[in-house]
Amino acid sequence: MKGLKDMLLCEQRRLEDILEKTTKEMEKDVPPGSLRISVNKKWVQFYQGMPGDKTKGTYIPKENQKLICRLAQKSYDEKIIRLVSKRLDQIKKITRDYEDDEVEMVYWKEHIEKQKRIRPVETIWKCQIEEWEKQEYKGKEFREDTPLILSERGERVRSKSEKILADFFYRNQIPYKYECPLYLKNFGTVYPDFTFLSAKTGQEIYWEHDGRMDDPVYAQNAIRKIYAYEENGIYPGERLILTYETEKTVLNMQIVERLVYKYLK
């Protein structure tokens, strides 16, 4: 599964944080024994049971809520530690020799003459992305008064910022489509600045750069378009990447690099 290893490593870090936090709590002045509870129709009674004690244990008056709470917390923390430790062992065993592309790599490790005669069990990503790039489309037309700005790939773009982005993708060998039409229900056809095919999900991801967000009319139209994406199930942080500029705030390439690493690598 594409992206599974990253998900597992993320879960591993989360569980390690939980384990560290809970273990520190258990290292504090934790009362001995465990909390035992007796319930009947009229009341609830609490007892402090000790290991080996076959009785209900020592009765805890309700006024001693501090001891009751600490014993309850101890029981909870012990269960959390056992569960988290178990899951961490499982995750570490899986990720020790697991790679997202390991099924595909079986094909690439075969002799080239064998590759020519093999039908892979899944579409090879390289072939999939090549087919995606070959799909023809008609982009948005340029008005006559639009300045001529060309990317390093030789395509015409609408702004210097779009050229910076296009050149960055091109240099880093990230396949993209510029202004490939996309139909959004109840809105119409839009032309995302850049469209990518995610290696993690196999779905298209769209990148919109809004370059004049200090212009009220421009900003309002940009927000309407974002709402249209969301109404069609395309959400920022999932399949929609957004970058912004104003007259005083220019495109931040450090943020661009982080977004690329997070969503496109």
Side-chain angles (χ1 to χ4, degrees):
M1 175 182 173
K2 295 182 184 299
L4 177 59
K5 187 167 184 176
D6 283 344
M7 291 169 60
L8 288 172
L9 292 175
C10 182
E11 178 67 1
Q12 178 179 324
R13 289 190 291 271
R14 184 182 78 92
L15 293 176
E16 287 172 342
D17 288 342
I18 291 173
L19 183 61
E20 181 181 4
K21 178 182 177 181
T22 310
T23 303
K24 284 182 179 179
E25 288 297 316
M26 291 294 291
E27 291 172 352
K28 295 180 180 179
D29 186 19
V30 178
S34 59
L35 183 64
R36 296 180 181 175
I37 301 173
S38 176
V39 181
N40 60 32
K41 294 180 179 179
K42 292 184 178 181
W43 60 77
V44 178
Q45 293 181 321
F46 300 93
Y47 298 86
Q48 185 177 14
M50 295 298 180
D53 185 359
K54 297 181 179 180
T55 67
K56 288 184 178 180
T58 305
Y59 174 73
I60 307 174
K62 288 187 177 179
E63 293 77 18
N64 195 352
Q65 285 296 315
K66 183 177 180 180
L67 178 58
I68 294 172
C69 291
R70 290 174 70 194
L71 286 170
Q73 184 67 43
K74 177 185 177 182
S75 173
Y76 170 80
D77 288 344
E78 287 174 340
K79 291 172 184 175
I80 287 295
I81 288 173
R82 287 196 296 271
L83 174 62
V84 168
S85 298
K86 177 182 176 181
R87 292 291 177 250
L88 279 172
D89 286 343
Q90 292 171 331
I91 290 174
K92 288 176 181 179
K93 285 179 182 178
I94 293 173
T95 56
R96 191 173 295 129
D97 65 348
Y98 174 85
E99 296 296 338
D100 289 338
D101 62 349
E102 60 186 7
V103 172
E104 183 172 319
M105 288 308 298
V106 173
Y107 172 83
W108 290 116
K109 289 178 180 179
E110 293 285 1
H111 190 281
I112 189 168
E113 291 300 324
K114 284 187 179 181
Q115 291 177 11
K116 296 175 182 178
R117 294 161 176 82
I118 289 173
R119 186 180 69 238
V121 294
E122 292 182 321
T123 304
I124 301 299
W125 172 248
K126 180 181 178 181
C127 300
Q128 189 175 342
I129 199 72
E130 286 176 354
E131 288 299 317
W132 179 78
E133 288 184 288
K134 288 178 183 177
Q135 296 171 0
E136 295 185 359
Y137 66 92
K138 185 177 181 181
K140 190 176 180 181
E141 294 184 357
F142 288 82
R143 297 188 317 184
E144 291 185 3
D145 59 346
T146 303
L148 179 61
I149 303 173
L150 298 178
S151 71
E152 290 181 10
R153 197 167 77 169
E155 67 200 339
R156 188 176 183 182
V157 295
R158 297 181 186 277
S159 69
K160 292 179 180 179
S161 294
E162 288 184 355
K163 171 178 167 53
I164 291 171
L165 288 169
D167 291 345
F168 180 83
F169 303 142
Y170 181 67
R171 290 176 199 146
N172 287 276
Q173 299 180 329
I174 300 172
Y176 69 86
K177 295 179 181 180
Y178 179 72
E179 290 192 344
C180 180
L182 171 68
Y183 178 77
L184 298 179
K185 187 177 178 181
N186 297 325
F187 189 84
T189 299
V190 297
Y191 296 84
D193 295 324
F194 301 96
T195 301
F196 308 89
L197 191 62
S198 170
K200 294 180 179 179
T201 66
Q203 292 182 299
E204 287 188 328
I205 293 179
Y206 309 100
W207 188 309
E208 290 282 11
H209 178 68
D210 297 315
R212 304 202 316 270
M213 291 302 284
D214 44 0
D215 180 333
V217 175
Y218 179 97
Q220 186 62 39
N221 290 333
I223 291 171
R224 282 183 60 247
K225 188 192 289 188
I226 294 170
Y227 283 163
Y229 275 111
E230 293 174 334
E231 288 173 354
N232 282 264
I234 301 170
Y235 299 102
E238 293 181 3
R239 293 181 58 206
L240 179 60
I241 304 171
L242 300 170
T243 46
Y244 308 94
E245 276 186 287
T246 66
E247 187 175 344
K248 295 182 179 180
T249 305
V250 298
L251 182 63
N252 187 324
M253 288 307 296
Q254 288 185 333
I255 292 177
V256 169
E257 289 182 24
R258 290 178 201 152
L259 290 170
V260 167
Y261 181 80
K262 182 175 179 63
Y263 296 104
L264 304 179
K265 285 292 189 180

